[in-house]
């Protein structure tokens, strides 16, 4: 008889793990508390407009392809990918912008035109980043985080010094123009940490950016969720929405199932892709691995204040991905990670997917997503949301030299309270635990419970870390762990 696995949550890591486990012969059922699957990757549809309300960047296409290849298929059998050209645009103030093209040589030329000699420096910098990418993404991140020995290889031994320097130090010692420095520090934000706290080895994110490029699945990031859903169902995975998991049922220190909407579901194994901290609250205190003190001592990636805005006209002078760095980078980072206050002058990101994908907005109109990274657990009120929306829209108007406020058809927002309510997210975090040195690999929360037999975890609070590609990888890691330990 097949071993039964109950999976909590239907985010990328849960979907990935379920596919691998079903392929290996397990009886897999996913239980999702919300009415749609995908975890943080959901879509808002309203008045003919579409918004990805979670992830909007498609980086590391090779990781997605590796996932689908594991099942004898390809991403192109499920959705169409388009490489964005340009990849994105960065706004530093009025008439002060830098456009990042879709190929490295063009980007090097851009750097060279801004700072003499920086084109050649950038090539060398990206060569180092590619070397680290090959080591990290093709090998290290697929390891389970059981031991420090996983990180010790002939390749990493040659780069040990890169674990004791930082991205900021390397960038600022190589490039003098502050705008170029910020562009090279930006990709590290996907790891949920300050560049000044992120080891140099993580410059592999710069290769993901400049080397592999920025892509867009036609129809949005939710197309990836739909693809994984289709694959999972074809493998026999059962998915139940509106299914709130209220308890992990244990007998002694062994997981025996879950309580869902008041009903007991017997299981041989329980796998949670839900928030790690929340999952442990489903257990008796004595069976929790990590205390409240532990979680409070962690460095979390930011939360976000998000706006989904419909405009009755096309917006000028913006790209599909637009970054507004017209205020001090270091000050905003300090407010996220150190003082943990609402930022006085926030950097923000804006996505206008209808620039390249007409399915996002009716003809002649524009769909826009605005994101302000903020500290976790901040006070979240309608008044604060409105204050920050007015702030960033005014800056958008000034920098892009146009009026847009009077063209808003509607707007929706999503912030700390929503992350807590919708995803049981610790502190309302949006991305999980920051990938700093002391929270890397074997130093992250474990994928296998140390106190409860047959209980496993996956997702952005465990290995390998924040982001969509790491979540796919996390699903593979935990499934391999379960398969290995049960030896079907």
């Amino acid at each position: 008889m097949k071993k039964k696995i109950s999976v909590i949550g239907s985010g990328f890591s849960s979907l990935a793990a379920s596919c691998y486990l079903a392929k290996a012969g397990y009886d897999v059922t996913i239980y999702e508390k919300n009415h749609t699957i995908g975890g943080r990757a959901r879509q808002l549809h309203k008045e003919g407009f579409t918004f990805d309300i979670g992830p909007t960047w498609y980086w590391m296409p090779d990781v997605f392809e590796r996932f689908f290849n594991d099942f004898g298929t390809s991403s192109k059998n499920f959705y169409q990918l388009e490489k964005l050209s340009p990849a994105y645009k960065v706004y530093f103030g009025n008439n002060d912008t830098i456009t990042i093209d879709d190929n490295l040589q063009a980007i090097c030329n851009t750097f060279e035109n801004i700072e003499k000699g920086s084109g050649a420096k950038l090539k060398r910098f990206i060569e180092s980043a590619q070397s680290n990418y090959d080591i990290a993404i093709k090998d290290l991140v697929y390891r389970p985080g059981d031991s420090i020995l996983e990180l010790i290889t002939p390749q990493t031994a040659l780069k040990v010094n890169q674990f004791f320097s930082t991205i900021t130090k390397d960038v600022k010692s190589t490039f003098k123009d502050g705008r170029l420095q910020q562009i090279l520090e930006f990709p590290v934000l996907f790891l949920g940490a300050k560049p000044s706290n992120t080891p140099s080895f993580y410059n592999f994110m710069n290769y993901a950016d400049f080397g592999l490029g920025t892509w867009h699945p036609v129809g949005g990031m939710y197309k990836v969720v739909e693809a994984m859903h289709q694959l999972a169902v074809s493998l026999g995975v059962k998915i139940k929405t509106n299914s709130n998991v209220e308890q992990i049922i244990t007998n002694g220190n062994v997981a025996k199932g879950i309580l869902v909407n008041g009903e007991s579901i017997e299981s041989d194994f329980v796998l949670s892709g839900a928030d790690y901290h929340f999952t442990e609250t489903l257990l008796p205190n004595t069976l929790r691995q990590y205390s409240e003190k532990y979680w409070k001592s962690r460095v979390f990636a930011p939360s976000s204040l998000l706006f989904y805005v419909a405009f009755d006209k096309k917006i000028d002078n913006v790209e599909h991905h637009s970054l507004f760095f017209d205020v001090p980078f270091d000050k905003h980072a300090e407010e996220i990670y150190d003082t943990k206050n609402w930022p006085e002058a926030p950097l923000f990101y804006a996505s206008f997917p209808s620039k390249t994908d007409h399915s996002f907005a009716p003809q002649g109109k524009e769909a826009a997503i605005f994101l302000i990274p903020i500290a976790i657990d901040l006070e979240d009120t309608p008044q604060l949301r409105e204050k920050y929306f007015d702030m960033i829209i005014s800056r958008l108007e000034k920098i892009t030299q146009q009026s847009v406020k009077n063209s808003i058809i509607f707007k929706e927002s999503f912030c700390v309270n929503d992350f807590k309510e919708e995803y049981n997210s610790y502190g309302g975090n949006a991305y999980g635990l920051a990938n700093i040195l002391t929270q890397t690999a074997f130093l992250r929360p474990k994928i296998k419970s140390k106190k409860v037999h047959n209980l496993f975890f996956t997702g952005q609070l465990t290995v390998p870390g924040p982001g969509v590609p790491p979540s796919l990888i996390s699903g593979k890691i935990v499934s391999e762990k379960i398969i290995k330990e049960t030896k079907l």
Side-chain angles (χ1 to χ4, degrees):
M1 181 178 287
K2 289 185 176 182
K3 297 282 188 180
K4 287 183 63 176
I5 298 185
S6 292
V7 180
I8 306 173
S10 65
F12 285 108
S13 58
S14 290
L15 288 170
S18 297
C19 288
Y20 286 111
L21 290 165
K23 180 186 175 186
Y26 293 80
D27 180 356
V28 184
T29 304
I30 294 174
Y31 298 89
E32 167 59 52
K33 73 182 281 284
N34 294 312
H35 70 277
T36 59
I37 66 166
R40 284 165 166 79
R42 295 151 66 190
Q43 281 191 328
L44 168 65
H45 301 277
K46 185 173 179 179
E47 296 180 27
F49 291 84
T50 298
F51 306 88
D52 279 318
I53 68 173
T56 57
W57 290 78
Y58 192 104
W59 272 8
M60 304 184 188
D62 53 319
V63 174
F64 293 88
E65 202 56 37
R66 181 168 172 177
F67 169 76
F68 287 107
N69 288 171
D70 283 343
F71 300 92
T73 188
S74 168
S75 63
K76 65 185 178 184
N77 292 327
F78 296 94
Y79 53 87
Q80 178 187 343
L81 271 184
E82 291 183 354
K83 193 174 190 183
L84 294 182
S85 180
Y88 54 91
K89 191 171 185 176
V90 189
Y91 300 76
F92 294 97
N94 292 356
N95 301 312
D96 186 6
T97 64
I98 296 177
T99 299
I100 300 301
D101 287 288
D102 66 347
N103 67 89
L104 180 58
Q105 185 55 56
I107 299 169
C108 288
N109 294 342
T110 297
F111 270 52
E112 185 64 26
N113 290 335
I114 293 169
E115 179 183 312
K116 189 172 177 57
S118 66
K121 290 178 181 177
L122 180 61
K123 275 193 175 175
R124 291 194 293 273
F125 188 87
I126 298 301
E127 284 172 4
S128 167
Q130 182 175 2
S131 170
N132 289 348
Y133 189 92
D134 289 342
I135 294 169
I137 304 302
K138 294 180 181 178
D139 182 20
L140 292 184
V141 296
Y142 284 89
R143 300 185 181 190
D146 290 337
S147 163
I148 190 175
L149 297 177
E150 294 172 10
L151 301 179
I152 302 172
T153 69
Q155 291 81 11
T156 56
L158 297 174
K159 296 176 179 284
V160 66
N161 61 311
Q162 292 188 24
F163 288 92
F164 298 97
S165 183
T166 68
I167 295 289
T168 293
K169 284 181 183 176
D170 290 357
V171 166
K172 291 189 174 179
S173 66
T174 307
F175 303 92
K176 303 308 175 189
D177 188 281
R179 295 167 300 170
L180 301 185
Q181 292 172 354
Q182 285 193 43
I183 287 171
L184 286 168
E185 288 179 320
F186 150 68
V188 174
L189 299 180
F190 282 92
L191 299 173
K194 288 198 296 186
S196 58
N197 282 350
T198 304
S200 302
F201 183 77
Y202 284 97
N203 70 3
F204 61 72
M205 292 299 294
N206 293 110
Y207 176 69
D209 181 0
F210 291 174
L212 296 176
T214 302
W215 299 76
H216 172 70
V218 176
M221 285 295 290
Y222 201 71
K223 290 296 178 185
V224 184
V225 173
E226 291 176 344
M228 296 178 73
H229 176 221
Q230 186 179 338
L231 177 62
V233 170
S234 74
L235 292 164
V237 176
K238 297 176 285 294
I239 302 176
K240 299 187 178 183
T241 55
N242 298 308
S243 297
N244 185 40
V245 178
E246 300 155 335
Q247 181 185 340
I248 296 173
I249 299 168
T250 56
N251 183 358
N253 65 343
V254 181
K256 290 294 186 179
I258 54 178
L259 185 68
V260 183
N261 295 341
E263 178 188 356
S264 296
I265 309 291
E266 290 187 8
S267 315
D268 295 295
F269 303 95
V270 175
L271 167 60
S272 180
D275 179 274
Y276 203 120
H277 169 270
F278 164 75
T279 302
E280 289 216 313
T281 67
L282 302 176
L283 294 164
N285 272 318
T286 55
L287 295 180
R288 300 174 191 176
Q289 305 167 90
Y290 302 106
S291 66
E292 291 299 316
K293 182 179 178 182
Y294 169 87
W295 290 110
K296 287 178 181 176
S297 71
R298 298 301 88 188
V299 177
F300 274 83
S303 185
S304 299
L305 171 54
L306 291 139
F307 297 99
Y308 312 102
V309 187
F311 292 98
D312 66 8
K313 68 175 184 179
K314 301 302 289 184
I315 307 300
D316 298 327
N317 306 324
V318 293
E319 297 293 345
H320 184 130
H321 294 303
S322 301
L323 301 167
F324 290 82
F325 286 2
D326 54 309
V327 296
F329 184 99
D330 292 341
K331 178 74 163 59
H332 188 180
E334 182 181 301
E335 289 163 329
I336 294 172
Y337 295 102
D338 301 332
T339 61
K340 298 182 180 177
N341 294 319
W342 277 96
E344 289 183 18
L347 289 80
F348 68 97
Y349 155 67
S351 173
F352 301 89
S354 46
K355 286 287 175 192
T356 53
D357 188 335
H358 301 305
S359 70
F360 277 80
Q363 187 172 1
K365 300 179 181 180
E366 203 86 87
I369 301 161
F370 297 92
L371 183 154
I372 303 173
I374 57 175
I376 67 169
D377 246 345
L378 292 181
E379 179 188 18
D380 174 14
T381 66
Q383 293 78 14
L384 279 166
R385 295 189 190 195
E386 200 62 29
K387 170 187 172 182
Y388 280 89
F389 182 74
D390 289 342
M391 188 185 298
I392 63 174
I393 285 295
S394 295
R395 280 166 49 196
L396 174 76
E397 289 186 322
K398 180 181 178 183
I399 292 169
T400 62
Q401 300 177 358
Q402 65 191 310
S403 174
V404 301
K405 288 180 185 176
N406 293 333
S407 296
I408 295 172
I409 302 171
F410 67 82
K411 74 173 187 291
E412 303 278 350
S413 64
F414 199 96
C415 197
V416 172
N417 291 347
D418 301 300
F419 280 102
K420 291 178 180 179
E421 176 66 25
E422 298 290 326
Y423 311 130
N424 296 311
S425 171
Y426 181 85
N429 80 83
Y431 306 104
L433 282 175
N435 245 341
I436 58 175
L437 185 60
T438 55
Q439 294 179 174
T440 292
F442 70 101
L443 296 173
R444 297 181 74 80
K446 299 301 183 185
I447 62 171
K448 179 187 176 185
S449 174
K450 296 176 288 186
K451 290 193 172 183
V452 182
H453 292 301
N454 301 339
L455 174 60
F456 297 82
F457 300 83
T458 187
Q460 57 190 15
L461 287 176
T462 182
V463 289
V468 179
S471 291
L472 297 182
I473 294 167
S474 184
K476 182 171 186 175
I477 291 170
V478 74
S479 63
E480 290 177 341
K481 186 85 165 175
I482 293 170
I483 294 165
K484 180 180 177 182
E485 298 216 353
T486 55
K487 296 184 174 69
L488 267 183

